[in-house]
Amino acid sequence: MTLEPGAPIPDVAVTLPDGSVRRLADATGRALVVYFYPKDDTPGCTREAQGFSEAMPAFEAAGVEILGISKDPPAKHQKFAAKYALAVPLASDVDDSVCEAFGAWVEKSMYGKQYMGIDRSTFLFGADGRLVRAWRKVKVPGHVDEVLAAANALPRG
């Protein structure tokens, strides 16, 4: 599945580090950045989470919420966030439904071996809950700044 601009945010649920469940479709009323990353505490994922954490005040000033999602369990997110003093909220896709709904669960290849994994990708939804922009196969350097620029271009309520 591929989300196209104008598509509504998928009505799926994530598990937060405290064990509570959040339905993403309930986020309407405020713009939302959802970013998918492969694994806690790996170099690229750490840099990306640190970048979003550092930029959180700027996203908040733009009226945009951020949520990072991986398949790691909530307890691992807690350790990851504590280890790097991350401010960005992290959530778990415990049953693959979120990655599937966003088209972020893809076939990958490394050293000639095929496997399934998370496509590092980011989605910006407007306050109306509709997709404004999607970034696929994200490269970490400069990505947060690009997402922030798009968030700042959103109409303000």
Side-chain angles (χ1 to χ4, degrees):
M1 170 175 206
T2 301
L3 291 178
E4 298 294 331
I9 192 165
D11 188 15
V12 291
V14 294
T15 303
L16 300 176
D18 66 3
S20 64
V21 174
R22 176 179 174 190
R23 295 208 72 76
L24 295 184
D26 292 344
T28 57
R30 188 165 185 212
L32 174 66
V33 167
V34 176
Y35 79 92
F36 289 86
Y37 65 98
K39 192 170 176 66
D40 288 345
D41 213 1
T42 58
C45 297
T46 300
R47 284 192 308 275
E48 186 175 28
Q50 288 171 324
F52 275 115
S53 290
E54 290 166 8
M56 276 200 56
F59 278 99
E60 288 171 354
V64 179
E65 184 180 354
I66 307 168
L67 184 63
I69 300 173
S70 79
K71 294 175 69 58
D72 289 314
K76 192 165 181 201
H77 284 332
Q78 287 178 330
K79 283 180 160 177
F80 179 47
K83 181 176 181 179
Y84 295 100
L86 301 176
V88 66
L90 303 176
S92 300
D93 178 10
V94 296
D95 65 1
D96 302 337
S97 64
V98 182
C99 289
E100 291 282 346
F102 280 80
W105 189 244
V106 299
E107 187 174 289
K108 296 176 143 190
S109 177
M110 184 182 295
Y111 306 118
K113 183 177 180 188
Q114 302 295 110
Y115 66 98
M116 295 300 289
I118 290 181
D119 174 33
R120 188 182 307 277
S121 49
T122 302
F123 302 85
L124 173 62
F125 292 89
D128 63 355
R130 301 250 170 221
L131 182 64
V132 174
R133 182 148 178 218
W135 292 263
R136 301 285 187 167
K137 297 187 185 333
V138 166
K139 302 294 183 215
V140 174
H143 179 62
V144 171
D145 292 335
E146 189 177 347
V147 176
L148 181 57
N152 279 323
L154 291 173
R156 306 264 174 120

